[in-house]
Amino acid sequence: MSPLPKLIATDIDGVWTDGGMYYSESGEESKRFNTYDSAAVVFCRALNIPVAILTGEPSLAVKRRAEKLTISRCYTGLHDKLATLQTICGELGITLADVAYIGDDLNDIAVLRAVGFSACPVSAPEYIKQQVSRVLTKKGGDGVFREFVESILTDAGILQEVLKNYL
């Protein structure tokens, strides 16, 4: 059995979304989020595991999604995700080894290499897959964040216990 991480951190585009950028004729940006990922946040909250969003995009849509799910650690427009994650770890009194992270592209590589447990969606490029502890079975935008969290809970031997509250 694996220990639970003390923080679960995530990229957004290509993980919670399919990686597409949608713009209206007026230039308004929108993103499609999969509601299955919401349950993963609920599971983390039930276990007192904080969730952090780290994205390079300066996106109001991401901030709104984080607010809806009451994720207080939401960082957008990042150029250095690892530095931000190190700051979060300092605030929480944990190390990078205590962190599980899911990402899918170039700006995630430094974090994927630094954390205790890393994963990516099956839709990530091959060179990203080579950087992670686990390649998941779902594509970005298809509930892969939930699969990530459920795989962590399965490895820790507690997924069924968590699910008892809902079944």
Side-chain angles (χ1 to χ4, degrees):
M1 290 216 226
S2 299
L4 285 174
K6 295 179 181 171
L7 172 68
I8 295 180
T10 179
D11 179 36
I12 290 291
D13 292 316
V15 177
W16 287 49
T17 75
D18 63 7
M21 298 274 190
Y22 305 95
Y23 296 96
S24 70
E25 288 184 19
S26 65
E28 184 176 317
E29 174 191 354
S30 65
K31 295 182 182 292
R32 178 191 158 280
F33 293 94
N34 190 313
T35 59
Y36 284 143
D37 290 326
S38 305
V41 176
V42 171
F43 297 158
C44 290
R45 190 170 296 115
L47 295 167
N48 294 315
I49 300 171
V51 174
I53 293 171
L54 307 171
T55 182
E57 284 293 314
S59 173
L60 185 55
V62 172
K63 289 180 181 181
R64 287 188 177 145
R65 186 70 180 139
E67 288 170 5
K68 182 172 178 114
L69 296 174
T70 62
I71 298 172
S72 60
R73 289 181 175 86
C74 178
Y75 305 88
T76 63
L78 295 178
H79 297 289
D80 188 345
K81 291 182 181 185
L82 183 56
T84 300
L85 186 57
Q86 289 169 321
T87 299
I88 297 167
C89 287
E91 292 168 358
L92 295 174
I94 63 175
T95 69
L96 289 169
D98 298 318
V99 177
Y101 182 78
I102 181 170
D104 74 308
D105 215 340
L106 295 171
N107 62 350
D108 298 307
I109 290 175
V111 176
L112 292 168
R113 289 178 175 167
V115 297
F117 181 76
S118 60
C120 71
V122 71
S123 52
E126 192 60 37
Y127 51 84
I128 300 298
K129 293 175 183 175
Q130 295 170 3
Q131 308 300 317
V132 299
S133 307
R134 179 173 294 154
V135 176
L136 299 164
T137 64
K138 293 186 181 294
K139 294 182 200 176
D142 286 344
V144 73
F145 182 70
R146 183 175 183 165
E147 180 186 358
F148 176 55
V149 171
E150 287 182 353
S151 73
I152 291 168
L153 301 183
T154 297
D155 290 351
I158 64 168
L159 178 61
Q160 293 307 313
E161 187 64 32
V162 171
L163 291 175
K164 280 183 185 177
N165 296 326
Y166 307 97
L167 300 176

